[in-house]
Amino acid sequence: MWLHFAAIPCLLGAFAMVILLRMADVESGPVQGDEAAAMLLFSLGVLLIPAAVLTFVGILAVKLLRGRRWARTATLVFNGVWITLGLIALFSSAYMPSAFIQPLLTIGFEGSIAICLCAPSAKAWFANPRDELET
């Protein structure tokens, strides 16, 4: 989960660099008013989604360290969604061999988190009754 927390800002930075490089592209001419407004609105919309996911992942990571059962359940659901999205991306990229890497990394990364959370030692950690004592 902490790797998720670290990776999302990197993706946000990469997206910001793409937008800045497009705005600085002199071959296609200056960015006009309508295009600049569209790029700004699109950028804000795309940046808000990862920011929300980053906040959610950060909360889950902290609550997992505290042994909260609801955080374990939410993380497993979160991982299931990402594994499903990875499988969809993997099967939809059948004609693009270079597009296999990202879905396989996603499936492997999310699958390893799910496997670790389902291990007997993790189950014992989350079975501790401190979840009811502390809120």
Side-chain angles (χ1 to χ4, degrees):
M1 292 303 290
W2 289 109
L3 288 175
H4 263 291
F5 195 72
I8 292 175
C10 294
L11 293 173
L12 292 175
F15 181 74
M17 289 302 299
V18 168
I19 295 295
L20 290 174
L21 289 174
R22 167 54 195 109
M23 293 178 83
D25 185 16
V26 293
E27 289 181 10
S28 61
V31 177
Q32 300 300 321
D34 291 341
E35 185 182 9
M39 287 175 65
L40 178 65
L41 289 175
F42 180 74
S43 299
L44 288 176
V46 170
L47 291 176
L48 286 177
I49 294 170
V53 170
L54 179 64
T55 303
F56 180 66
V57 167
I59 290 169
L60 285 179
V62 169
K63 296 300 181 179
L64 282 173
L65 287 175
R66 293 184 179 168
R68 302 291 192 258
R69 282 185 286 231
W70 66 265
R72 178 177 177 260
T73 304
T75 302
L76 289 171
V77 169
F78 185 74
N79 290 342
V81 168
W82 279 103
I83 290 171
T84 303
L85 290 173
L87 288 171
I88 290 170
L90 185 66
F91 291 122
S92 66
S93 64
Y95 298 107
M96 296 174 23
S98 62
F100 281 114
I101 295 171
Q102 190 272 333
L104 288 176
L105 288 175
T106 299
I107 293 167
F109 186 69
E110 300 297 334
S112 64
I113 292 172
I115 289 170
C116 288
L117 286 175
C118 292
S121 60
K123 287 181 182 179
W125 168 261
F126 289 103
N128 193 345
R130 71 172 164 254
D131 192 29
E132 286 84 23
L133 297 175
E134 298 177 24
T135 54

